[in-house]
Structures are given as C-alpha cells and as structure tokens.
Amino acid sequence: MKLFVSILFIVCFSACSTTNRSFYKDDAANWQSANTIPLKELVHTLYLVGDGGDIDDPDAGNFVMDAIRKNISKENENTSLVFLGDNIYPAGMPKKDASSRNLSEAIIQSQLDLATEFPGKTYFI
C-alpha cells in the first residue's frame, strides 16, 4: 500500500509541473515576427470630458478642467474635445436670482474659455 501511495504521489506531483517553453507547430514557430502590425501615424485624438461641471471645492477649482487643460496643451487642430453633458451641477443653469448663479456661470465660462483656447474642434452635448 505504501508503494502504491508513493507512486500515486510521484505521478500526481510530476503532472503538476510546468515548463517555461512554449510549444508550436513547425509552421507557427515564428508567429510573433510574422504577424507584426506596422505602426501608423496618429490621425486624430479625441478627448471625452464627463462631469466637467462638478466642483467639490469651489476655492480649489475644477480638477477635471485642470487635467484636461494640462493634457490638451500640446495638441493640434487634429484633436476634438467633447463635453459629455452635466456641464453645470446639479441641474443646469439656475435662475438669474439664485444664489448659485455666479458659480454656475463661472463653471460654464471656464469650459467655454478652454474651448476657445483649444486649437481643435469642441463639441458640447
């Protein structure tokens, strides 16, 4: 019985071993070099901006807009900037007499300023 358990243990243990070598058929041995994709020139860059109107701390500014401004500073006219809505939180531009009107105007103005500075096309949804 000990011999049977020993042999079973050796067989199971050796079946779990692995190798670092991959095995391919002869006609597939050079698949990595044969299937390289040629690098192509970048034609257009698209930035999708969500929650551009959400400001956690009005004194600190808008972190989303700061990040976008930093990223698009090196772009050219072959770039598009798309604001995906929610441009003013929580429910769009408040009425003229609302206390949050000035902050809301500042938020949308910062987006418009960024669109004006940006060399590519800008879209608002």
Side-chain angles (χ1 to χ4, degrees):
M1 184 65 173
K2 287 183 182 182
L3 179 62
F4 176 72
V5 171
S6 298
I7 292 173
L8 183 63
F9 177 76
I10 291 171
V11 168
C12 288
F13 186 73
S14 65
C16 294
S17 67
T18 60
T19 64
N20 290 333
R21 185 170 173 245
S22 299
F23 295 98
Y24 300 103
K25 289 177 22 180
D26 290 337
D27 61 340
N30 295 324
W31 69 271
Q32 289 174 320
S33 61
N35 292 325
T36 58
I37 298 172
L39 296 176
K40 295 190 177 191
E41 183 179 335
L42 183 63
V43 176
H44 196 88
T45 303
L46 176 66
Y47 287 93
L48 302 173
V49 182
D51 296 335
D54 189 16
I55 295 181
D56 294 327
D57 182 4
D59 296 328
N62 187 325
F63 302 109
V64 173
M65 296 302 294
D66 292 342
I68 292 298
R69 183 171 276 111
K70 179 181 175 186
N71 282 305
I72 67 170
S73 65
K74 302 172 203 116
E75 295 296 345
N76 58 32
E77 64 276 352
N78 293 327
T79 307
S80 294
L81 177 63
V82 180
F83 288 92
L84 299 172
D86 290 337
N87 297 342
I88 303 173
Y89 273 77
M93 185 66 77
K95 294 184 179 188
K96 289 189 180 204
D97 58 346
S99 62
S100 60
R101 176 70 182 217
N102 288 339
L103 177 60
S104 296
E105 286 179 359
I107 290 170
I108 197 69
Q109 188 61 50
S110 71
Q111 294 172 19
L112 292 170
D113 291 343
L114 182 62
T116 304
E117 299 166 15
F118 181 61
K121 294 187 186 259
T122 304
Y123 303 93
F124 285 86
I125 296 176

